[in-house]
């Protein structure tokens, strides 16, 4: 703005300041879609990786606009979405200060790419994460696991699954999986827990979460 003698409109949007590299490259889900108990249980989010960009030619349907019924070129991102694996379920109870996690139940078998995320240095570690937890499934026929799932069914109003990506299917030279919680909407708490338990150790495709042309 040197040598500006008189007033002039500023250039650039202040909403994009500061213009520097972000600290967190992954987006954060600030709110999940509103729950509807009338529907069937389903997942509400998915994780993808930006693979590149291209452009599309689309028709504009906006009466009154200058470009109405004309074609425009838009830039679009290409998102790669390898299947995610569900490894746990967590139940939340509503309190006056917000949601509080009641308990978490993990699957019996967890992949190395998920367990790598627990360690700072996988090579030097003893790789014993979740090995004692897996023994709960053998002890008394998994009575403790069943008891925790029943607690979620009885007390919790919000149920979310813990899922991780399969970075080995990407060309990113990564070995640690990215982990996230995905809320289950539809049905009552018991139906949500049963739905989540049925997904344990199974792959979830993006087609089962989002339909074609859905935004």
């Amino acid at each position: 703005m040197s040598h500006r003698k008189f007033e002039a409109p500023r250039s650039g949007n202040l909403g994009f300041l500061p213009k520097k590299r972000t600290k967190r490259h992954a987006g954060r889900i600030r709110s999940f879609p509103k729950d509807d108990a009338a529907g069937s249980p389903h997942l509400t989010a998915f994780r993808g990786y930006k693979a590149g960009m291209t452009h599309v030619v689309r028709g504009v349907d906006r009466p009154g606009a200058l470009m109405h019924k004309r074609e425009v070129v838009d830039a679009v991102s290409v998102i790669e979405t390898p299947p995610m694996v569900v490894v746990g379920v967590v139940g939340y109870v509503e309190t006056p200060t917000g949601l509080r996690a009641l308990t978490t139940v993990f699957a019996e078998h967890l992949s190395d790419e998920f367990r790598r995320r627990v360690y700072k240095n996988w090579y030097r570690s003893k790789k014993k994460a979740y090995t004692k937890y897996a023994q709960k499934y053998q002890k008394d026929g998994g009575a403790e696991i069943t008891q925790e799932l029943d607690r979620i069914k009885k007390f919790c109003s919000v149920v979310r699954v813990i899922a991780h990506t399969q970075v080995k299917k990407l060309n990113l030279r990564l070995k640690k999986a990215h982990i996230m919680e995905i809320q289950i909407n539809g049905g009552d708490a018991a139906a949500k827990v049963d739905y989540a338990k049925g997904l344990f150790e199974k792959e979830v495709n993006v087609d089962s979460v989002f339909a074609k042309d859905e935004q």
Side-chain angles (χ1 to χ4, degrees):
M1 292 174 56
S2 60
H3 306 296
R4 178 175 289 177
K5 194 170 183 181
F6 302 107
E7 291 184 4
R10 66 159 289 104
S11 56
N13 190 336
L14 293 173
F16 293 104
L17 294 180
K19 295 181 179 178
K20 62 180 182 180
R21 185 175 290 274
T22 179
K23 288 181 181 177
R24 300 179 184 86
H25 293 282
R28 183 162 61 94
I29 301 176
R30 297 178 184 274
S31 63
F32 288 96
K34 190 173 177 63
D35 192 7
D36 182 14
S40 58
H42 59 278
L43 300 179
T44 55
F46 205 84
R47 188 165 190 141
Y49 298 84
K50 184 173 178 178
M53 293 190 71
T54 182
H55 63 271
V56 295
V57 179
R58 66 176 180 89
V60 178
D61 184 20
R62 198 184 311 154
L66 182 65
M67 299 300 292
H68 181 53
K69 290 189 176 180
R70 296 171 69 180
E71 290 186 338
V72 295
V73 178
D74 279 344
V76 294
S77 295
V78 179
I79 307 296
E80 193 171 355
T81 54
M84 298 183 72
V85 179
V86 176
V87 292
V89 59
V90 55
Y92 290 90
V93 292
E94 292 183 0
T95 69
T97 56
L99 295 176
R100 178 178 67 85
L102 179 71
T103 185
T104 306
V105 177
F106 285 95
E108 182 177 4
H109 304 103
L110 303 174
S111 65
D112 283 350
E113 56 185 346
F114 172 80
R115 291 164 62 229
R116 275 178 184 268
R117 182 56 65 179
V118 182
Y119 291 101
K120 180 78 172 177
N121 190 329
W122 173 259
Y123 171 74
R124 289 174 180 263
S125 69
K126 295 183 179 179
K127 306 174 179 59
K128 301 283 283 183
Y130 294 99
T131 52
K132 285 188 177 179
Y133 186 90
Q135 295 172 4
K136 293 182 180 180
Y137 280 87
Q138 316 302 333
K139 189 178 179 181
D140 299 331
E144 188 175 344
I145 299 294
T146 305
Q147 181 183 355
E148 291 299 305
L149 291 173
D150 289 340
R151 284 184 66 208
I152 299 177
K153 292 180 181 179
K154 185 176 181 181
F155 299 110
C156 294
S157 57
V158 176
V159 180
R160 296 174 182 171
V161 297
I162 300 172
H164 71 82
T165 58
Q166 299 185 79
V167 290
K168 63 185 178 183
K169 296 189 176 182
L170 296 165
N171 188 22
L172 289 179
R173 297 188 300 175
L174 293 175
K175 293 183 179 179
K176 285 185 181 181
H178 294 107
I179 307 167
M180 68 180 292
E181 287 186 3
I182 303 175
Q183 186 163 304
I184 300 176
N185 283 358
D188 58 356
K192 291 176 182 176
V193 173
D194 292 337
Y195 176 76
K197 191 173 185 299
L199 291 177
F200 275 9
E201 303 175 29
K202 293 182 180 177
E203 289 188 349
V204 177
N205 292 310
V206 68
D207 299 340
S208 62
V209 180
F210 298 110
K212 188 176 182 294
D213 297 331
E214 183 181 353
Q215 291 185 341

